[in-house]
């Protein structure tokens, strides 16, 4: 069956359906712009609505949320007790708070970091976003700021994030300001510093104050009260967060301290060089402020540059004077140890001997005005004594440690030429060592090691003083000895140990030995002097201007054994070409009394010889020379009897010296041997030098020799 035509497939192609029209690109852009416009309008409308609401309400309803947010961000309690306003006026943020308080961390000693009766300010919005705060206007009334460091100086009250390192105090940039009745309190427990400052009223315009901002205050430093006044000399730079040029004058314990410098922050002196000047009547009062004990000084004036570096306070370029002496050098105070530590290098060109006197217990002002004896009396010593009775406070010497190196080129002294002093001071928990302590004395070197243990009560002092060979001519030039013609020298050593908190007490209880050796040499006097202590020689010198020939010394030893402060000759033995001089007796460091007798025994026949001891008595301050002894008067009476019985020339027989003195063996003498070890040139023990034990001159006075066994 053939398909019909209408059943046959349609070979004609059918047309494709038309595609939907594409949206116009311009129309799409318009739509997007409309959306963006609507968003902007919405945002602006929202912002305007917020601004309008804030402007109308002054933002007072934000008081509680702002307090909560600020407290959370600062980790402190922020409270506004009175009126609160926070809004745009019109484009600057206005902030007003009455009765504003910001609390301190729990470790602080005051409850609030900041309080103010009223704070009214205008803030630049963008500066707040970037943390670089700028205030167009600040009106602060009755503001009080409490700036404190914690005990370890690891945190302060103005660094809000407890996990961050303590930061310096930065002030915002302030274009115009009015500050009335502003108070600042600063506390640093490491320095033991507490101060309260009152600032004068400040009014600034266009970021310029135009004049210094003055402040006054008071406080305590290590329990010492002080007052201060100062000024901010660059207030225009300060309000723009620039440099802070400060001058400060503090008065404490009769001292005036001036400090000036340029600080990067008002509350930060770290690494900043500060010009420091101090002056006063006594530097000991100044050092006592920081708990450092030094001897008294006369009027002083010091200049230095101070730089704080962490726990260290470094004073460099130190120059100044104390009394009639100069001083220069550097020192560092370490406040970070258990005890304050001083490390110093100091030098003096000319050191006046009066300014040395405080180091052994004298008041230098009394020494300068009335002399050593008056100064000793002022220290508590008994009348007519020289050794001072003043003490350094033992508890003070245990409050700090020190390592000090000190030199003095020249010591100004009328009696003995002194120079080239140097000492190393080591103080550790009350153990004071002066080692080595050296100086040049009349071209000889005096070296000492002195240790004072202030941990004991009373303190124990060990003296070890050594004198290298020193020319007698220079050493005794102030006592009538002529340098020309004197070739003799002396060397010696003193080793003593005593207990006491004063120089007098330590020597009055001391035990040890002192020995001075005189090798071979000559001895010459300028004027009438008692050189060989022979009475006949002394009579001759009384009628002559000077010796015809120098005294020829073979060897000599002047030594004392000290027991509980009492020194006994052990021995005194001087061998010359003409005589053997021996001495007996001793002296007391306690009473300062002397009782010494010297006898010159001729080696050759002498027609005029007293042969009687010459006594040195009295005290250290008032020595007495007794040449006409009772024994000599007895012999003078015997001479008078002979003159009556025979003839006047017979009177001379009572003063005849047969010249039988035994020359000394110089070996033991030069070795500084004790009395028991002394020998004659024939090797026999000497029986004329005593026993080295304390005794009066009457007890130890040798028996007078008899002439021809009769007198």
């Amino acid at each position: 069956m053939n398909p019909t035509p209408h059943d046959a497939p349609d070979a004609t192609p059918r047309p494709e359906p038309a595609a939907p029209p594409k949206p116009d690109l311009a129309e799409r852009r318009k739509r997007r712009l409309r959306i963006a416009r609507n968003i902007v309008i919405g945002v602006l409308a929202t912002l305007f609505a917020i601004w309008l609401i804030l402007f109308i309400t002054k933002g007072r309803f934000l008081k509680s949320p702002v307090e909560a947010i600020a407290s959370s961000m600062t980790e402190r309690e922020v409270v506004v007790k009175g009126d609160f306003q926070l809004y745009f006026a019109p484009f600057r943020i206005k902030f007003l708070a009455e009765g504003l308080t910001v609390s301190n961390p729990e470790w602080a000693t005051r409850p609030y970091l900041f309080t103010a009766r009223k704070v009214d300010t205008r803030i630049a919005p963008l500066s707040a976003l970037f943390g670089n705060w700028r205030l167009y206007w600040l009106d602060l009334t009755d503001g009080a700021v409490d700036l404190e460091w914690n005990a370890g100086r690891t945190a302060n009250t103005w660094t809000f994030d407890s996990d961050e390192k303590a930061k310096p105090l930065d002030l915002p940039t302030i274009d115009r300001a009015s500050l009335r009745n502003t108070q600042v309190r600063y506390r640093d427990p490491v320095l033991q510093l507490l101060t309260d400052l009152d600032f004068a009223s400040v009014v600034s315009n266009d970021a310029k104050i135009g004049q210094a901002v003055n402040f006054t205050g008071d406080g305590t430093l290590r329990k010492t009260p002080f007052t201060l006044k100062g000024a901010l000399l660059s207030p225009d730079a300060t309000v723009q967060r620039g440099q802070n040029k400060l001058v400060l004058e503090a008065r404490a314990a009769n001292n005036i301290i001036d400090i000036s410098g340029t600080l990067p922050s008002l509350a930060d002196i770290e690494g900043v060089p500060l010009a420091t000047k101090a002056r006063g009547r006594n530097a000991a009062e100044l050092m006592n402020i920081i708990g450092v004990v030094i001897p008294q000084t006369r009027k002083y004036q010091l200049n230095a540059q101070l730089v704080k570096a962490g726990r260290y306070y470094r004073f460099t370029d130190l120059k100044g004077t104390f009394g009639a002496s100069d001083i220069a050098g550097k020192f560092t105070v370490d406040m970070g140890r258990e005890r304050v530590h001083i490390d110093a290098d100091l030098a003096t060109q000319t050191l006046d001997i009066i300014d040395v006197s405080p180091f052994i217990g004298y008041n230098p002002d009394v020494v300068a005005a009335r002399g050593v004896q008056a100064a000793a009396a002022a220290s508590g010593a008994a009348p007519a004594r020289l050794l001072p009775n003043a003490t350094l406070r033992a508890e003070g010497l245990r409050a700090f440690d020190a390592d000090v190196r000190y030199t003095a080129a020249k010591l100004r002294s009328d009696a003995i030429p002194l120079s080239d002093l140097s000492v190393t001071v080591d103080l550790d928990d009350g153990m004071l060592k002066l080692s080595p302590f050296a100086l040049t004395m009349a071209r000889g070197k005096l070296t000492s090691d002195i240790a004072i243990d202030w941990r004991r009560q009373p303190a124990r002092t060990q003296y070890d003083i050594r004198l290298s060979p020193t020319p007698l001519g220079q050493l005794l030039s102030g006592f009538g000895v002529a340098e020309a013609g004197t070739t003799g020298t002396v060397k010696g050593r003193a080793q003593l140990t005593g207990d006491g908190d004063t120089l007098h007490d330590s020597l009055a209880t001391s035990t040890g030995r002192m020995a001075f050796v005189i090798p071979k040499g000559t001895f010459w006097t300028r004027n009438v002097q008692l050189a060989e202590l022979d009475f006949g020689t002394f009579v001759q010198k009384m009628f002559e201007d000077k010796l015809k020939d120098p005294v020829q010394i073979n060897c000599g030893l002047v030594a004392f054994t000290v027991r509980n402060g009492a020194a006994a000759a052990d021995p005194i033995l001087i061998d010359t070409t003409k005589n053997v001089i021996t001495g007996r007796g001793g002296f007391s460091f306690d009473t300062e009394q002397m009782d010494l007798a010297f006898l010159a025994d001729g080696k050759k026949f002498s027609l005029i010889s007293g042969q009687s001891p010459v006594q040195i008595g009295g005290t250290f301050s008032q020595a007495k020379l007794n040449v006409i002894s009772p024994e000599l008067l007895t012999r003078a009476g015997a001479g008078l009897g002979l003159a009556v019985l025979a003839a006047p020339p017979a009177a001379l027989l009572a003063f005849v010296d047969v010249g039988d003195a035994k020359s000394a063996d110089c070996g033991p003498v030069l070795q500084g041997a004790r009395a028991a070890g002394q020998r004659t040139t024939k090797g026999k023990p000497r029986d004329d030098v005593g026993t080295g034990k304390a005794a009066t001159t009457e007890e130890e006075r040798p028996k007078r020799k008899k002439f021809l066994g009769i007198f």
Side-chain angles (χ1 to χ4, degrees), residues 179-184 197-202 213-216 232:
L179 310 179
R180 292 180 293 274
N181 300 326
T182 305
Q183 297 179 343
V184 177
L197 301 178
D198 293 319
F199 284 84
S201 296
V202 177
V213 176
N214 298 312
F215 57 87
T216 60
L232 180 65

Side-chain angles (χ1 to χ4, degrees), residues 574-653:
I574 302 174
D575 187 275
T576 74
T577 56
K578 295 181 179 181
N579 297 282
V580 175
I581 303 169
T582 57
R584 304 289 185 89
F587 59 88
S588 170
F589 282 118
D590 185 16
T591 63
E592 300 187 20
Q593 291 181 328
M594 298 185 294
D595 189 10
L596 291 162
F598 297 85
L599 179 67
D601 199 358
K603 295 182 177 181
K604 297 180 180 180
F605 182 88
S606 174
L607 188 60
I608 306 292
S609 180
Q611 287 196 25
S612 295
V614 176
Q615 184 183 22
I616 298 178
T619 62
F620 292 172
S621 62
Q622 297 177 348
K624 297 178 181 179
L625 183 64
N626 183 14
V627 180
I628 309 291
S629 65
E631 185 172 326
L632 182 60
L633 292 176
T634 301
R635 298 185 67 187
L640 179 60
L642 287 175
V644 172
L645 294 176
L652 297 177
L653 294 176

Side-chain angles (χ1 to χ4, degrees), residues 516-587:
F516 300 91
V517 175
I518 306 172
K520 186 173 183 178
T522 60
F523 187 79
W524 186 272
T525 58
R526 285 197 301 266
N527 302 305
V528 176
Q529 297 290 328
L530 183 62
E532 294 186 337
L533 302 179
D534 177 84
F535 185 71
T537 305
F538 179 65
V539 170
Q540 292 181 37
K541 286 191 288 182
M542 286 183 66
F543 294 97
E544 295 178 357
D545 293 333
K546 59 182 180 179
L547 290 171
K548 294 181 179 179
D549 297 301
V551 177
Q552 302 291 329
I553 300 174
N554 295 323
C555 58
L557 173 61
V558 179
F560 297 90
T561 293
V562 183
R563 301 178 181 88
N564 198 29
D570 189 21
I572 297 176
L573 177 61
I574 302 174
D575 187 275
T576 74
T577 56
K578 295 181 179 181
N579 297 282
V580 175
I581 303 169
T582 57
R584 304 289 185 89
F587 59 88

Side-chain angles (χ1 to χ4, degrees), residues 84-409:
F84 174 88
Q85 298 180 22
L86 180 63
Y87 63 96
F88 289 90
F91 302 110
R92 299 175 179 178
I93 301 175
K94 175 176 179 177
F95 175 76
L96 182 143
E98 295 181 347
L100 173 63
T101 61
V102 180
S103 69
N104 259 330
E106 294 182 356
W107 53 261
T109 60
R110 291 285 180 88
Y112 298 110
L113 165 66
F114 177 77
T115 63
R117 186 163 65 89
K118 185 181 77 170
V119 178
D120 187 1
T121 185
R122 303 294 188 275
I123 305 172
L126 294 179
S127 68
L129 292 177
F130 295 102
N132 187 20
W133 291 80
R134 179 181 181 183
L135 308 183
Y136 294 112
W137 162 256
L138 172 64
D139 184 359
L140 178 63
T141 304
D142 295 340
V145 182
D146 182 60
L147 307 176
E148 299 188 38
W149 289 91
N150 65 355
R153 221 173 189 277
T154 58
N156 54 44
T157 56
W158 60 89
T159 300
F160 294 114
D161 192 340
S162 58
D163 296 329
E164 288 188 7
K165 184 179 179 180
K167 298 179 179 179
L169 178 64
D170 287 328
L171 296 178
T173 301
I174 305 174
D175 292 345
R176 300 170 55 209
S178 176
L179 310 179
R180 292 180 293 274
N181 300 326
T182 305
Q183 297 179 343
V184 177
R185 177 178 181 264
Y186 183 81
R187 177 179 178 270
D188 190 333
V190 174
L191 293 180
Q192 299 184 40
L193 170 64
L194 175 63
T195 183
D196 292 284
L197 301 178
D198 293 319
F199 284 84
S201 296
V202 177
V203 177
S204 71
N205 292 287
D206 298 327
K208 294 183 179 180
I209 297 176
Q211 60 184 358
V213 176
N214 298 312
F215 57 87
T216 60
D218 56 21
T220 59
L221 177 59
R222 300 183 69 91
K223 300 182 180 179
T224 300
F226 66 84
T227 61
L228 57 83
K229 61 181 180 180
L232 180 65
L233 299 182
S234 57
D236 298 338
T238 298
V239 297
Q240 298 180 52
R241 304 184 74 171
Q243 294 179 334
N244 307 276
K245 295 182 179 180
L246 293 176
V247 293
L248 176 69
E249 178 188 277
R251 294 174 179 263
N254 303 307
N255 300 277
I256 301 175
I257 304 168
D258 297 311
I259 298 176
S260 61
T262 302
L263 310 183
S265 166
L266 282 181
D268 184 28
I269 63 172
E270 192 73 21
V272 178
L274 300 173
T276 305
K277 300 179 180 179
R279 59 192 184 276
R281 67 181 187 182
N282 185 354
E285 295 175 329
L286 173 69
M287 298 303 293
N288 189 58
I289 296 176
I290 61 173
V292 176
V293 177
I294 65 171
Q296 297 184 70
T297 72
R298 290 191 282 176
K299 186 177 179 180
Y300 78 93
Q301 183 172 352
L302 301 172
N303 298 332
Q305 178 176 276
L306 165 64
V307 176
K308 177 184 177 297
R311 70 188 200 187
Y312 300 102
Y313 291 78
R314 296 188 172 96
F315 294 84
T316 57
D317 297 329
L318 173 69
K319 294 180 181 178
T321 59
F322 62 103
S325 306
D326 63 271
I327 192 167
K330 62 181 180 179
F331 70 94
T332 299
V333 181
D334 184 354
M335 305 295 293
R337 302 190 186 187
E338 180 182 358
R339 296 179 299 275
V340 175
H341 184 271
I342 305 292
D343 187 272
D345 289 280
L346 304 172
T348 294
Q349 290 299 315
T350 302
L351 177 62
D352 193 275
I353 197 68
I354 294 177
D355 295 317
V356 179
S357 60
F359 290 86
I360 58 175
Y362 295 118
N363 184 316
D365 292 315
V366 178
V367 173
R370 293 185 287 153
V372 173
Q373 188 171 337
S379 73
R385 291 187 183 175
L386 287 181
L387 295 178
N389 230 12
T391 177
L392 291 173
R393 301 193 311 273
E395 68 277 8
L397 289 175
R398 300 198 66 180
F400 73 102
D401 297 333
D403 290 289
V404 179
R405 294 153 297 279
Y406 175 74
T407 61

